[in-house]
Amino acid sequence: MPTLVAQPTRIRAAGTKPKLIDEYIGRVNTTTSNVSVAHMRSPQGWEEPGQTPEFEELTIVLKGSVLVTHKDGEMRVNAGQAVITHGGEWVRYSTPDAEGAEYIAVCLPAFSMETVHRDE
């Protein structure tokens, strides 16, 4: 039988400014460990610490743009675009533009504090 996810759980975000994370599917809201799906809304100037996660992250930008910094440079992902970051590779996400960003993040396996490996 299908499982209805009636509402997300709001999760506290890491980073320099308040960012809204609403997890629909994942370790917190549904105790799902193989995938997490979250709706993110971050303001202008938000930046999280760099990380070398064990999971793959697929990001679909709905509004604004997300700047993805990686070991070889950076890439801007605009509304209507997506990016895949691969487990074991260092990345840092930020939203420098005036409008901030709204996006969907999917992590395989599900996001966890034990496997994100954020910079100190």
Side-chain angles (χ1 to χ4, degrees):
M1 179 163 108
T3 301
L4 174 66
V5 179
Q7 63 186 30
T9 296
R10 177 73 42 94
I11 297 174
R12 185 171 182 258
T16 56
K17 290 188 170 186
K19 169 184 161 179
L20 301 177
I21 300 176
D22 290 327
E23 180 187 273
Y24 283 84
I25 299 165
R27 296 178 194 273
V28 175
N29 199 47
T30 60
T31 66
T32 303
S33 61
N34 62 330
V35 64
S36 58
V37 180
H39 183 193
M40 318 284 231
R41 288 170 298 255
S42 59
Q44 175 189 19
W46 171 82
E47 182 178 281
E48 73 178 350
Q51 60 191 30
T52 307
E54 295 178 25
F55 49 82
E56 187 169 71
E57 186 164 352
L58 300 85
T59 302
I60 303 165
V61 180
L62 305 172
K63 294 179 185 175
S65 66
V66 174
L67 186 64
V68 180
T69 304
H70 52 91
K71 68 177 180 129
D72 295 321
E74 59 186 31
M75 104 180 23
R76 184 173 299 277
V77 186
N78 297 310
Q81 297 180 319
V83 63
I84 301 169
T85 58
H86 305 282
E89 296 180 350
W90 182 88
V91 294
R92 182 178 60 231
Y93 300 94
S94 62
T95 51
D97 294 344
E99 63 187 307
E102 182 177 350
Y103 55 101
I104 301 295
V106 178
C107 298
L108 299 162
F111 177 93
S112 82
M113 292 303 291
E114 293 74 34
T115 61
V116 70
H117 306 297
R118 289 200 172 113
D119 295 349
E120 301 273 335

